[in-house]
Amino acid sequence: MVRGFIMKDRGVFAEKSNWNILKLLKIRASEYGDKEFIRFDSGTSLSFKLLDEQSDKFAYKLLDIGLKEDENVFCLLKNSPEFLISLFAVMKIGAIFVPINTELRGQFLEHQFLNCEPKISIIDNTLLEVFKNIKSQKNQLKGTIVTKSFDKKSLPTALNSEEVLTFQSCLDNIINDNDISLLETASIHKICAIMYTSGTTGPSKGVLLPHGHFFSYAIISAEVANFSNKDIQYICMPLFHINALSIQCFAALYAGMSVYCVERFSPNRWLSDVQISKATTTHLLGVMPEFVYSTEESKEDKNHSLRLVSAVPIGEWGKDFEKRFNIKFLQGFGMTESGMSFWASLNEETCVPGRAGYPVNELYEVRIADPENDESLPLNKVGELLIRPKHPGIFSAGYYKMPEKTVEAWRNLWFHTGDACHFDEKGRMHYFDRIKDCIRRRGENISAFELEQVINSYPQVDESAAIGVKTEKSGGEDEILVCIVKNKGDKIDNDKFLLFCQEKLPRFAVPKYIRFVDSIRKTGSGKLSKVDVRKEGLTDDVIMLTPDR
């Protein structure tokens, strides 16, 4: 178990063989009945009981359409009741739920649509148009279900199906000629979802997730944060992301607490949402906490019920954030593939930048290793974080239809996270950066995240992305290129900016190149996506800040 943290009475879930979210929903629906489980900013809501009942109805309709066990269901859905009803309905058949990032377009969307080979698609009516230029898969869909009414004549070719229905009609008209009973429980090992994670050197990979993976996320997250059924969770991230779905939504289900969920994160609306929902806990990820911190201070900043904010990464502004909003930060570390393998202890200072906390020793083995050969490294030495489960069924089962990527990630019987980290003397993990974001210059390892924090503090900079680039004169190491998005209407004097960098950064971390860009792409979880800037490298519009030596 996590150091400084005592496990609560888990009841039936003390046995890991019961770790599946179908059983969890059935038990909580029986216990809490009509208590509101989740309310959306659209005004719609689901009680514990209603979520169970509606997902039963929807599951029977999916069976009527012809969905079978282990078949994939492609879901392009915003934060809504339809998302959760679809998830549980698909899993009650033993089929596989495939939630998709609603921001995807073009070849990014096409890759995931064709890769997962769905039998049924469930689409938000406002997102139908994004399929207009998407290729159709070889086998026609059995069904396409759209959240609200739409013009069937304008349905994109890729979504042509044997049956085309609205979501509500699936709940209203149930004709179940099948003698098949819905699943009320499932094996911890049963694959129940595919969640796509961004690829760094290739297309996104579909992570195969068993029931035990989702449940481990939920139970550990709820216990570490000391959640009770009196807490209220505020979700401002997309449910198609593992953080919002598992660490927040499923953890709330485990704790029997209520949830307030908005469609989209807004830093300017964040505080009012927290106040309206009376939330006691929430999560912020990537650039989100810094965006909230950058909002104008107000006398309302402490006027809320929030006690705990789980956030990564936290910068030097973390302490000021805690004081300004009178909250406590909680850091941890998890991945779509691995679950939450590290959490800080609430009995200690939790706002140290980069310190993710102690390994969850009940569930995982961890190691810091030399990324070249997987040899263990000593304390305080930065290397790659490796993880493996102590129990079967709580970890991802590989990448869908990408066996070579699965083998690559699981070299030497360890899952390779691609993250540069180190352990301190107390066994706490400190996150440094992605291995590929770890810039090597002048014999020093430079964290792109820390560098970006300094660059972003320059008054005329809105955001930035730092990468290492190879040049003929870099001697096998990296030179630093920073892509900068300026504040609207602002200009940056290159000489003054260089002077700022020289004053604020170690000499080896001063960027050699800068490039002004209109925007920097983000992942679905709000993290910087550097695929584009890496691919483009040193373009013609790059500005050299410091001369060659």
Side-chain angles (χ1 to χ4, degrees):
M1 64 182 172
V2 178
R3 179 171 172 171
F5 150 69
I6 300 174
M7 291 183 294
K8 299 179 180 178
D9 178 15
R10 293 176 172 177
V12 67
F13 297 116
E15 293 292 331
K16 290 183 175 62
S17 59
N18 290 322
W19 281 21
N20 71 84
I21 57 172
L22 294 181
K23 191 180 195 76
L24 176 61
L25 177 61
K26 283 295 180 186
I27 289 175
R28 294 299 181 255
S30 175
E31 288 176 337
Y32 294 106
D34 292 329
K35 176 183 175 180
E36 184 175 270
F37 170 53
I38 187 166
R39 174 171 293 276
F40 296 89
D41 55 348
S42 63
T44 55
S45 65
L46 291 167
S47 68
F48 288 84
K49 181 181 178 182
L50 188 59
L51 175 56
D52 189 33
E53 292 175 343
Q54 295 279 64
S55 57
D56 275 356
K57 288 183 179 180
F58 195 59
Y60 281 121
K61 187 59 182 180
L62 294 178
L63 286 172
D64 290 337
I65 294 171
L67 184 65
K68 294 180 174 59
E69 184 177 2
D70 295 328
E71 291 183 334
N72 296 339
V73 179
F74 183 94
C75 295
L76 191 70
L77 296 169
K78 298 178 181 179
N79 287 2
S80 61
E82 290 88 347
F83 186 100
L84 290 177
I85 292 169
S86 297
L87 179 150
F88 281 104
V90 169
M91 293 183 186
K92 285 177 177 181
I93 296 171
I96 298 173
F97 181 73
V98 188
I100 301 297
N101 186 331
T102 56
E103 297 297 321
L104 293 188
R105 301 293 186 271
Q107 66 183 40
F108 294 91
L109 177 64
E110 184 174 274
H111 162 68
Q112 295 183 16
F113 181 67
L114 298 179
N115 177 256
C116 80
E117 297 179 319
K119 299 301 180 183
I120 290 177
S121 62
I122 307 174
I123 312 296
D124 187 285
N125 65 296
T126 65
L127 297 173
L128 287 172
E129 63 180 20
V130 304
F131 283 88
K132 283 185 177 178
N133 296 313
I134 300 300
K135 294 179 183 176
S136 300
Q137 59 177 349
K138 292 180 180 178
N139 299 315
Q140 187 181 31
L141 291 162
K142 294 179 180 179
T144 290
I145 300 168
V146 183
T147 53
K148 291 182 173 60
S149 59
F150 63 99
D151 181 4
K152 292 185 179 181
K153 294 179 181 179
S154 63
L155 189 72
T157 303
L159 297 176
N160 283 342
S161 308
E162 296 172 20
E163 289 192 61
V164 180
L165 307 159
T166 64
F167 198 93
Q168 188 59 48
S169 70
C170 293
L171 297 175
D172 292 340
N173 305 305
I174 308 299
I175 304 173
N176 180 36
D177 296 326
N178 299 284
D179 293 326
I180 302 173
S181 298
L182 299 180
L183 298 177
E184 295 188 4
T185 187
S187 165
I188 186 176
H189 312 286
K190 171 69 175 173
I191 302 298
C192 60
I194 297 173
M195 298 186 82
Y196 283 87
T197 184
S198 301
T200 53
T201 59
S204 54
K205 304 182 291 288
V207 185
L208 293 163
L209 300 177
H211 272 279
H213 177 280
F214 284 117
F215 199 96
S216 67
Y217 252 116
I219 191 170
I220 297 299
S221 300
E223 290 179 340
V224 168
N226 294 322
F227 288 159
S228 77
N229 57 13
K230 295 181 181 179
D231 278 307
I232 297 175
Q233 178 78 261
Y234 168 51
I235 297 179
C236 54
M237 284 187 276
L239 289 170
F240 60 70
H241 186 265
I242 197 72
N243 188 301
L245 184 59
S246 292
I247 308 178
Q248 297 183 76
C249 189
F250 289 160
L253 184 62
Y254 178 79
M257 55 198 277
S258 296
V259 175
Y260 181 69
C261 182
V262 298
E263 181 179 315
R264 185 180 293 273
F265 166 72
S266 166
N268 294 316
R269 202 188 61 234
W270 181 82
L271 181 59
S272 62
D273 282 346
V274 167
Q275 292 172 326
I276 291 169
S277 63
K278 299 180 181 179
T280 58
T281 184
T282 190
H283 285 239
L284 294 169
L285 189 64
V287 296
M288 295 167 66
E290 196 168 359
F291 282 176
V292 172
Y293 179 67
S294 298
T295 59
E296 186 175 348
E297 292 191 37
S298 163
K299 62 181 180 180
E300 292 292 308
D301 286 347
K302 291 183 173 65
N303 184 23
H304 55 75
S305 301
L306 204 60
R307 64 175 176 85
L308 189 66
V309 177
S310 296
V312 288
I314 293 174
E316 296 298 332
W317 41 264
K319 275 291 185 185
D320 289 338
F321 189 112
E322 285 188 326
K323 292 177 183 177
R324 174 180 165 185
F325 292 102
N326 192 31
I327 58 92
K328 186 176 181 67
F329 273 129
L330 177 63
Q331 296 190 79
F333 175 89
M335 298 179 68
T336 304
E337 292 93 335
S338 69
M340 286 301 296
S341 41
F342 293 85
W343 275 111
S345 169
L346 289 174
N347 296 327
E348 296 182 347
E349 170 58 58
T350 61
C351 198
V352 178
R355 194 171 77 190
Y358 296 98
V360 180
N361 289 322
E362 178 193 359
L363 301 180
Y364 308 102
E365 290 182 62
V366 296
R367 172 188 288 181
I368 301 296
D370 185 326
E372 297 297 324
N373 55 33
D374 291 349
E375 293 284 354
S376 292
L377 294 176
L379 298 178
N380 297 310
K381 182 74 173 177
V382 174
E384 184 174 10
L385 175 64
L386 310 183
I387 307 173
R388 61 186 178 195
K390 290 183 177 179
H391 300 276
I394 64 168
F395 217 85
S396 63
Y399 299 115
Y400 184 61
K401 294 198 299 186
M402 291 185 176
E404 71 289 349
K405 293 295 184 182
T406 302
V407 172
E408 179 185 344
W410 276 98
R411 299 186 305 278
N412 295 322
L413 303 180
W414 287 91
F415 176 75
H416 291 64
T417 67
D419 290 304
C421 309
H422 74 268
F423 291 140
D424 65 19
E425 291 79 2
K426 292 187 176 181
R428 296 170 298 198
M429 188 270 276
H430 294 249
Y431 180 84
F432 191 70
D433 219 323
R434 292 291 292 171
I435 291 290
K436 293 186 178 180
D437 266 358
C438 189
I439 302 168
R440 182 76 175 176
R441 189 172 187 237
R442 306 294 188 264
E444 299 284 348
N445 289 323
I446 302 166
S447 165
F449 168 73
E450 292 177 336
L451 176 56
E452 289 157 2
Q453 291 286 296
V454 174
I455 301 298
N456 292 347
S457 69
Y458 193 75
Q460 282 76 45
V461 172
D462 184 28
E463 61 179 340
S464 65
I467 62 170
V469 291
K470 303 290 185 186
T471 68
E472 291 181 359
K473 298 181 180 180
S474 61
E477 292 194 326
D478 298 317
E479 292 292 358
I480 299 171
L481 165 65
V482 180
C483 293
I484 294 172
V485 179
K486 296 182 289 186
N487 293 325
K488 289 184 179 179
D490 282 348
K491 293 183 178 180
I492 291 180
D493 183 291
N494 296 338
D495 292 334
K496 290 181 180 179
F497 179 74
L498 174 59
L499 182 61
F500 168 84
C501 291
Q502 291 170 334
E503 291 176 346
K504 299 290 185 181
L505 293 167
R507 184 171 58 179
F508 58 81
V510 174
K512 185 177 185 66
Y513 304 104
I514 60 172
R515 179 186 170 207
F516 297 114
V517 297
D518 294 329
S519 63
I520 301 169
R521 190 154 58 92
K522 309 292 190 305
T523 67
S525 59
K527 298 177 183 177
L528 293 174
S529 174
K530 299 184 182 180
V531 174
D532 294 338
V533 293
R534 281 201 185 93
K535 184 177 180 180
E536 292 163 355
L538 294 175
T539 53
D540 292 338
D541 57 347
V542 161
I543 299 166
M544 183 184 291
L545 279 185
T546 59
D548 288 327
R549 299 194 178 192

